[in-house]
Amino acid sequence: MSKCIHLIKLCVGAEQVEDLIAWQHSPRAKGTDGLPRHVTRMRPKRATEILSGGSLYWVFKGVVLARQRILRLDEVMGADGILRCGIVLDPDVIRTAGATKRPFQGWRYLKSEDAPPDLPKARVGDDELPPGLDAALADLGLQ
């Protein structure tokens, strides 16, 4: 059995996790099955490892703050006739400990041992840390 690997991607246009959640509730972010998906130009070559329990880790303003389990990788034909990869995601967005990440383009592979841990489910009424403060705590090794 192959070891699980994850993907990591910048969440462009989103300031915080709530922005991603709001976007994924829109019809434009969903496939025909109603599940959120992210369409990307390149199909991961390590698909078997990704589909063995991998997640897509989202980077917000230089800080990893959330992940979503990857359910499958679909082929998506663009309006321009170019075949792309639809990363189909579990609708449950899991918040992670903040981990700083330098800017990069596209997606990258992320080893399980390098992935930030999940945070416990927030209690009703708990406040979110602003991304800048979350990043500063991560830089200090306090997250």
Side-chain angles (χ1 to χ4, degrees):
M1 184 173 170
S2 64
K3 191 174 180 181
C4 166
I5 190 127
H6 308 286
L7 297 178
I8 188 167
K9 174 145 186 32
L10 301 180
C11 197
V12 178
E15 299 273 325
Q16 55 191 357
V17 178
E18 287 73 20
D19 297 333
L20 171 67
I21 293 169
W23 162 252
Q24 288 187 350
H25 279 90
S26 74
R28 287 187 55 203
K30 296 179 182 180
T32 56
D33 58 6
L35 292 171
R37 71 175 180 182
H38 177 75
V39 178
T40 183
R41 190 171 56 97
M42 301 298 294
R43 181 179 180 86
K45 292 183 181 5
R46 299 173 73 178
T48 302
E49 293 169 274
I50 291 167
L51 297 174
S52 296
S55 291
L56 177 59
Y57 282 77
W58 292 106
V59 180
F60 298 83
K61 298 180 84 176
V63 183
V64 179
L65 294 176
R67 72 175 180 90
Q68 288 177 276
R69 194 168 51 92
I70 298 172
L71 301 177
R72 64 180 192 270
L73 302 172
D74 291 350
E75 289 186 344
V76 177
M77 183 63 69
D80 55 6
I82 295 174
L83 194 60
R84 293 182 171 82
C85 178
I87 303 171
V88 180
L89 303 165
D90 186 314
D92 187 26
V93 177
I94 301 163
R95 294 170 193 274
T96 66
T100 56
K101 188 72 179 167
R102 289 193 174 147
F104 58 93
Q105 289 187 348
W107 52 261
R108 299 285 183 261
Y109 292 112
L110 177 66
K111 295 178 187 174
S112 291
E113 58 267 20
D114 295 334
D118 294 348
L119 291 177
K121 295 254 185 217
R123 296 177 306 205
V124 176
D126 281 356
D127 291 332
E128 295 283 322
L129 289 178
L133 179 55
D134 216 7
L137 291 172
D139 281 341
L140 294 170
L142 299 174
Q143 280 241 337

